[in-house]
Amino acid sequence: MRRVAVIAVPPVTTFDLSIPELVLGATTVDGRAGYAVRVCTAEPGPVASSGSFQVTVPYGLEIVADSDTVIVTGTGARDDVDPRVLEVLRSAADAGRRVASICTGAFVLAEAGLLDGRGATTFWARSEEFRRRFPSVDLRPDVLYVEDGGILTSAGLSAGIDLCLHLVRSDYGAATANIVARLVVAAPVRPGGQAQFIASPLPPETGTSLAGTRAWALERLREPLTRAALAAHARTSVRTLTRRFLAETGLSPLQWLLHQRVELARELLESTDLPMDQVAHLSGLVTTDSLRRHVSRRTGLTPSAYRAAFTRRRAGG
């Protein structure tokens, strides 16, 4: 079981604070809990929220020392953070622990100096403030989450769900993460580079959603789908299809197809012993070279190394 310490910095954003427990707490591996999630703060007890009520936090910061992952959730305190919180975050990073933030929790990581020279994101509405205060951070305000050298940051609110699902996927594999996504009734697992908001949403009169076309494509990933084929199914032009795909998913049609194919390949690598050429064919990546290139780019592991790592992890509990 992996131990997770969630640091509440008052005034806490209660939605953000609930996400690690809801997502990581729903993770089971071979019938056992995948994570032990505990919430802590500098002064245990009642903690003010950004809303009209208080939450009670039972643990102090000492639990961070024996945690594998430390998560700071959203807070209204972006320039007056308790020095004890900053120190414990620095110590956790120095000890090689995985450190993450949700929403404006990125301000806390930046205040602790953990984001200097790194890529990071935060809630888009606070991006200009963040950029002014922390110019040494490579801020990427238009993505859902960023992972850079063991430090992870996510955009606002529901992007914290995407971040936590990414943690599950990194720890236990794509199949487990997809099960958790269904359990928490989340959208299909989205890539970190997906846009966190749509600046120019399509007006209502542009037509129906492309959800039906995406579902149709998911059943045919092994086929050589093109933008023209997707547009024909949606009964629209390629240009309109591309515009709607960007509005609904944050990705172009071909980017979306590639993401789904890599996710399918990962599930096949984890759950079957099919030869690599069959995994490439069934996932629509076509060749073993393409499979190797895209899986390595997504995971940092070759397909065979990915299969060995996650198959052992599942079998060994």
Side-chain angles (χ1 to χ4, degrees), residues 124-159:
W124 66 267
R126 301 295 182 189
S127 60
E128 288 307 314
E129 176 189 355
F130 188 97
R131 202 187 303 275
R132 287 194 306 270
R133 290 188 54 197
F134 306 108
S136 62
V137 179
D138 176 17
L139 183 66
R140 303 171 191 174
D142 57 348
V143 299
L144 291 175
Y145 58 85
V146 175
E147 180 172 8
D148 190 334
I151 307 293
L152 301 94
T153 52
S154 81
L157 299 174
S158 63

Side-chain angles (χ1 to χ4, degrees), residues 11-14 48-54:
V12 297
T13 303
T14 51
S49 75
S50 54
S52 58
F53 55 90
Q54 291 183 327

Side-chain angles (χ1 to χ4, degrees), residues 206-225:
T206 55
T208 59
S209 165
L210 292 176
T213 295
R214 292 195 296 275
W216 174 83
L218 284 173
E219 296 177 354
R220 294 165 175 80
L221 290 176
R222 72 179 69 179
E223 300 176 13
L225 296 173

Side-chain angles (χ1 to χ4, degrees), residues 61-316:
L61 297 174
E62 65 276 0
I63 70 166
V64 171
D66 66 352
S67 298
D68 305 298
T69 300
V70 184
I71 302 175
V72 180
T73 59
T75 174
R78 296 187 299 277
D79 55 6
D80 187 24
V81 180
D82 192 309
R84 292 172 291 180
V85 172
L86 302 178
E87 182 56 35
V88 80
L89 286 170
R90 295 184 190 107
S91 296
D94 289 344
R97 306 188 193 286
R98 184 168 59 184
V99 179
S101 67
I102 295 174
C103 195
T104 52
F107 281 78
V108 181
L109 299 193
E111 187 69 29
L114 302 187
L115 300 182
D116 290 348
R118 297 182 188 273
T121 192
T122 190
F123 179 35
W124 66 267
R126 301 295 182 189
S127 60
E128 288 307 314
E129 176 189 355
F130 188 97
R131 202 187 303 275
R132 287 194 306 270
R133 290 188 54 197
F134 306 108
S136 62
V137 179
D138 176 17
L139 183 66
R140 303 171 191 174
D142 57 348
V143 299
L144 291 175
Y145 58 85
V146 175
E147 180 172 8
D148 190 334
I151 307 293
L152 301 94
T153 52
S154 81
L157 299 174
S158 63
I161 297 174
D162 296 287
L163 174 69
C164 287
L165 286 171
H166 172 71
L167 297 180
V168 176
R169 191 163 60 249
S170 298
D171 292 337
Y172 295 112
T176 298
N178 290 341
I179 291 171
V180 176
R182 288 192 289 271
L183 285 173
V184 299
V185 200
V189 178
R190 300 183 288 179
Q194 179 170 328
Q196 61 168 293
F197 70 101
I198 304 300
S200 301
L202 294 176
E205 64 269 23
T206 55
T208 59
S209 165
L210 292 176
T213 295
R214 292 195 296 275
W216 174 83
L218 284 173
E219 296 177 354
R220 294 165 175 80
L221 290 176
R222 72 179 69 179
E223 300 176 13
L225 296 173
T226 63
R227 290 186 302 167
L230 294 170
H233 181 272
R235 297 183 179 181
T236 189
S237 68
V238 170
R239 183 176 179 180
T240 298
L241 174 94
T242 300
R243 187 172 68 248
R244 290 184 183 174
F245 248 90
L246 286 169
E248 294 182 22
T249 72
L251 300 170
S252 72
L254 297 184
Q255 287 173 328
W256 182 86
L257 279 171
L258 177 59
H259 178 75
Q260 300 299 335
R261 284 167 168 156
V262 174
E263 287 302 303
L264 176 55
R266 291 170 67 168
E267 288 206 35
L268 291 171
L269 289 169
E270 293 176 28
S271 59
T272 75
D273 57 1
L274 291 171
M276 294 300 172
D277 59 343
Q278 289 190 40
V279 172
H281 170 69
L282 292 173
S283 64
L285 293 175
V286 184
T287 68
T288 54
D289 284 344
S290 177
L291 174 71
R292 183 180 304 107
R293 180 170 66 255
H294 291 298
V295 169
S296 297
R297 182 177 299 165
R298 183 73 58 82
T299 69
L301 298 172
T302 65
S304 58
Y306 182 87
R307 167 177 276 168
F310 287 111
T311 298
R312 284 199 306 272
R313 193 169 296 170
R314 258 197 332 278

Side-chain angles (χ1 to χ4, degrees), residues 1-87:
M1 184 185 295
R2 298 172 185 272
R3 295 161 296 183
V4 178
V6 180
I7 300 180
V9 178
V12 297
T13 303
T14 51
F15 180 84
D16 296 351
L17 190 64
S18 69
I19 289 172
E21 174 61 34
L22 290 174
V23 177
L24 304 181
T27 303
T28 59
V29 181
D30 292 339
R32 291 178 288 180
Y35 299 92
V37 181
R38 296 178 293 177
V39 180
C40 64
T41 190
E43 293 290 341
V47 173
S49 75
S50 54
S52 58
F53 55 90
Q54 291 183 327
V55 296
T56 300
V57 177
Y59 296 103
L61 297 174
E62 65 276 0
I63 70 166
V64 171
D66 66 352
S67 298
D68 305 298
T69 300
V70 184
I71 302 175
V72 180
T73 59
T75 174
R78 296 187 299 277
D79 55 6
D80 187 24
V81 180
D82 192 309
R84 292 172 291 180
V85 172
L86 302 178
E87 182 56 35

